[in-house]
Amino acid sequence: MRLSRTAGLMAFCATVHAFTDSSPFVMLSTADFAKSSAPAQLQTESQVLASVKSLLSSCPTDRYLLVSQPNANAADIRGSDANDCRSPNLCRAIASKDVKGVYSVAEVIGEVKIDRLAEYIHTACADKKIVIDQTRLSPLGRNPGERANTLSDNDHALGQTLEKLKDASAGSYTVIYLASPSEPTYQAEFTEPLHAELKRHEASLLHVRKDKNETKWEKLPLFEKYVFFSPGIFHALVAVIVLLSILGVGVRALASLEIPYGAFEKEMGPAAQKKNN
C-alpha cells in the first residue's frame, strides 16, 4: 500500500503539464481499499465516479470530508520536481501512517460533482450512523501570483480542517479532494495586416473625401457629399414643414367660420315671452 501511495503522488508530477482543462481527484481513507492495480491517471468524470462508488459501497468509515477546490489542476498540487508539493497539508495527509487506502487520478476530464458524491454516501450508508462534512475552498484566480497565494491560504485552511477531523473521527474517516478545471478565456488576436485594414475601413467611414474625378463626386449620395447636412437635421426640417402646414390649415379653417352676431343675442321682448308660454 505504501508503494501504491507513492505512485499516486508521483503521478501528479508525471502528468503535470498534460492538460490544462482537467483537474486532479484524491480520495484517502483510514480504511484499506480493495487490492487493485494502479488506476489510469487520465480518466473521465464518469469513470472516476464509478470507481469511487465501488470503493465506498460498503461505507468503510464513520466520517466523510468532501473538499471542493475550484479552478485547480495537477500543476497546482505537484511541481516539476517530485519533491515539490504546493499543497503540503494535502500531501502530508496522503502520506500519513493512519491512511491505509488512497485513490488518486491526476487528470480527470470533466467535473465530479460534490453533491452527487454526498448523495451517494448517504445512500450507501443508510443503515449506519455517519457524519458528512463539506468544505468549499476559494477558487484559484488566473494571475500566477494571486493563484499561488490563494492556494497557500486554502491549504492552510485544509490543514486545520483535517486536524479537527482526526480529533473527532476516532481514527475512522475518509477525505475526498475534488478539483474543478478552470475555464479558459478567449481573447481575439488580429494579425498586423488585418488590424491595418480595419483601421483604414474605420477612417473611410469617419471621413469622406472629395475624389479628383468630379463625375464620381457628383454621384455620391446626399449625406456623404454634405457631411454637415446630417440625416437628423433633414428629418427635423421635414417634421417642421409638416407641422407648419397642419397649423396653417387649422388657422385658415378657423378664419373661414362666419357666425352672425345675432346668434349670440337673447330675445327678451313680448314675442319671446309668448313663445315661452
Side-chain angles (χ1 to χ4, degrees):
M1 180 56 65
R2 180 69 61 179
L3 179 61
S4 63
R5 186 181 311 171
T6 304
L9 290 173
M10 292 294 293
F12 289 108
C13 180
T15 59
V16 68
H17 297 295
F19 297 96
T20 57
D21 58 347
S22 62
S23 57
F25 179 92
V26 180
M27 181 173 67
L28 54 97
S29 176
T30 56
D32 193 1
F33 295 149
K35 301 294 182 180
S36 61
S37 58
Q41 293 305 306
L42 177 60
Q43 299 186 38
T44 62
E45 168 267 338
S46 58
Q47 291 174 324
V48 172
L49 188 60
S51 299
V52 172
K53 287 182 177 181
S54 176
L55 294 173
L56 298 180
S57 59
S58 61
C59 191
T61 58
D62 298 331
R63 295 185 71 96
Y64 295 85
L65 174 63
L66 307 182
V67 182
S68 174
Q69 174 58 78
N71 302 343
N73 52 45
D76 295 314
I77 299 178
R78 303 296 297 182
S80 57
D81 187 1
N83 297 322
D84 180 18
C85 181
R86 299 174 181 175
S87 186
N89 284 308
L90 177 62
C91 293
R92 279 195 293 266
I94 296 175
S96 174
K97 62 180 181 179
D98 297 331
V99 174
K100 298 179 181 179
V102 175
Y103 175 82
S104 62
V105 178
E107 304 288 343
V108 179
I109 306 300
E111 180 182 358
V112 181
K113 300 294 184 180
I114 187 173
D115 295 332
R116 292 184 61 184
L117 274 181
E119 182 180 355
Y120 176 77
I121 295 173
H122 275 296
T123 303
C125 302
D127 299 332
K128 187 177 180 180
K129 185 178 180 180
I130 62 170
V131 177
I132 300 178
D133 296 322
Q134 295 187 16
T135 299
R136 300 179 185 270
L137 302 176
S138 301
L140 303 183
R142 299 188 181 278
N143 181 272
E146 179 185 354
R147 189 181 186 91
N149 292 334
T150 304
L151 181 64
S152 178
D153 295 339
N154 290 348
D155 183 69
H156 178 70
L158 177 61
Q160 293 180 334
T161 304
L162 291 175
E163 289 297 328
K164 294 179 181 178
L165 176 66
K166 292 178 182 179
D167 295 338
S169 63
S172 178
Y173 62 87
T174 298
V175 178
I176 301 178
Y177 183 90
L178 308 97
S180 60
S182 58
E183 298 180 359
T185 56
Y186 172 76
Q187 294 182 350
E189 296 181 358
F190 299 99
T191 59
E192 189 61 28
L194 179 59
H195 185 69
E197 181 64 25
L198 291 175
K199 285 288 186 180
R200 286 195 295 269
H201 181 66
E202 182 180 0
S204 65
L205 293 178
L206 295 177
H207 304 283
V208 179
R209 297 180 179 178
K210 181 178 179 180
D211 196 275
K212 293 182 180 180
N213 191 337
E214 295 296 336
T215 303
K216 292 183 178 180
W217 170 256
E218 293 296 332
K219 291 182 179 180
L220 287 177
L222 178 64
F223 298 123
E224 291 186 12
K225 186 185 298 184
Y226 304 101
V227 178
F228 295 101
F229 190 59
S230 63
I233 297 176
F234 177 76
H235 294 160
L237 291 176
V238 172
V240 169
I241 293 173
V242 172
L243 292 176
L244 290 177
S245 301
I246 296 174
L247 180 62
V249 172
V251 171
R252 285 195 299 270
L254 291 175
S256 63
L257 294 177
E258 296 180 357
I259 301 176
Y261 290 103
F264 299 98
E265 295 180 357
K266 185 176 180 181
E267 296 182 3
M268 301 298 294
Q273 293 179 358
K274 290 180 179 181
K275 289 181 180 180
N276 293 333
N277 295 330

